[in-house]
Amino acid sequence: MSKLCKQAQAGTLESSDILIMLAPAEPGTGIAIELISPAINQYGEHIEKLIAAIIKDHGIQDVIIQANDKGALDCTIDARVKTAIARALA
């Protein structure tokens, strides 16, 4: 189990990218994802599940995530979430 030490972010608001912001949450609160995306009706659930899966793979249980999507592909979302996690754990 990993615990975030501080807030961190990765990505940009440029087209085809996603801005991920992570913040530590109180123990027992779980994973909270706030997603903003122009394609939220088509891909919102998929994006949230992808972000949650990456967070869980890193053993993080309590985190607040703000994601501002600008049409990012899964590989971009994966890279941005992993980078934000690395920065938050440092």
Side-chain angles (χ1 to χ4, degrees):
M1 182 171 99
S2 299
K3 184 173 180 177
L4 300 181
C5 300
K6 59 185 178 183
Q7 295 183 2
Q9 70 178 42
T12 69
L13 294 175
E14 298 292 323
S15 180
S16 301
D17 203 349
I18 186 168
L19 178 63
I20 300 288
M21 295 179 281
L22 303 179
E26 294 295 320
T29 56
I31 298 170
I33 300 173
E34 179 183 322
L35 174 64
I36 299 170
S37 174
I40 196 162
N41 291 331
Q42 294 93 353
Y43 303 109
E45 186 175 336
H46 172 75
I47 294 169
E48 288 181 0
K49 285 182 179 179
L50 178 60
I51 292 170
I54 297 165
I55 294 292
K56 289 177 184 173
D57 285 348
H58 283 78
I60 299 168
Q61 296 179 341
D62 303 306
V63 61
I64 299 168
I65 304 161
Q66 292 180 326
N68 194 333
D69 174 54
K70 298 295 181 184
L73 298 175
D74 286 3
C75 58
T76 303
I77 296 169
D78 183 74
R80 299 307 188 208
V81 173
K82 289 178 179 175
T83 299
I85 291 169
R87 290 176 177 166
L89 293 174

